Amino acid sequence: MSKWQCGVCGYIFDGDEAPEKCPKCGAPKEKFQKLDDDTAAKVERSRYTNNLHMELLTLLEKAKEVSEKGIEDELDPPCVQIFEATKAFATDIQQRIKAEIKGHISKNKWG
Ligand SMILES: [Zn+2]
């Protein structure tokens, strides 16, 4: 399957042919250009990485939930320290992932 990019908004469409009109901005079929194999491969790589980021976000969210339960449970100070450190770490990485994904989107790098 080939990839087609909208020359107006940058939207990338997967298909054997360009769509009749852009699903994002409504530009006509003629505005689409076929991506060369190299660029199409980069788009796939980028999508894969974004999915990994999304998966990590979910796992980190779970780590935060568990940490909050531990902090609430408050068995003893060393335990609470571990939960607090985990929560802070998970929050930090989540912010970095969100900034990274936002960067990809704003640069409109590979759709
Ligand atoms: Zn478009």
Side-chain angles (χ1 to χ4, degrees):
M1 194 160 44
S2 306
K3 292 191 195 305
W4 306 80
Q5 187 164 36
C6 173
V8 176
C9 72
Y11 179 88
I12 292 171
F13 180 83
D14 293 70
D16 295 326
E17 273 186 64
E20 283 310 315
K21 60 179 189 170
C22 178
K24 193 174 162 193
C25 74
K29 192 174 187 171
E30 304 83 67
K31 294 284 177 190
F32 276 82
Q33 247 200 340
K34 191 178 177 181
L35 295 181
D36 61 72
D37 289 351
D38 214 40
T39 309
K42 279 183 190 149
V43 171
E44 281 301 321
R45 284 287 325 270
S46 173
R47 283 178 184 169
Y48 177 68
T49 299
N50 280 348
N51 285 340
L52 293 180
H53 279 312
M54 296 312 288
E55 204 176 326
L56 261 186
L57 277 180
T58 307
L59 290 172
L60 290 166
E61 198 55 40
K62 185 74 190 164
K64 276 162 68 179
E65 279 173 31
V66 172
S67 302
E68 273 158 16
K69 282 183 197 162
I71 292 165
E72 220 170 278
D73 183 47
E74 219 182 346
L75 178 65
D76 58 37
C79 287
V80 172
Q81 272 175 24
I82 289 171
F83 293 129
E84 280 176 345
T86 304
K87 189 182 167 189
F89 173 79
T91 305
D92 177 49
I93 301 291
Q94 278 185 322
Q95 308 288 36
R96 288 164 60 179
I97 290 172
K98 284 175 191 165
E100 184 63 27
I101 291 175
K102 213 172 146 196
H104 289 179
I105 293 167
S106 71
K107 277 180 269 172
N108 205 354
K109 221 155 73 173
W110 309 116

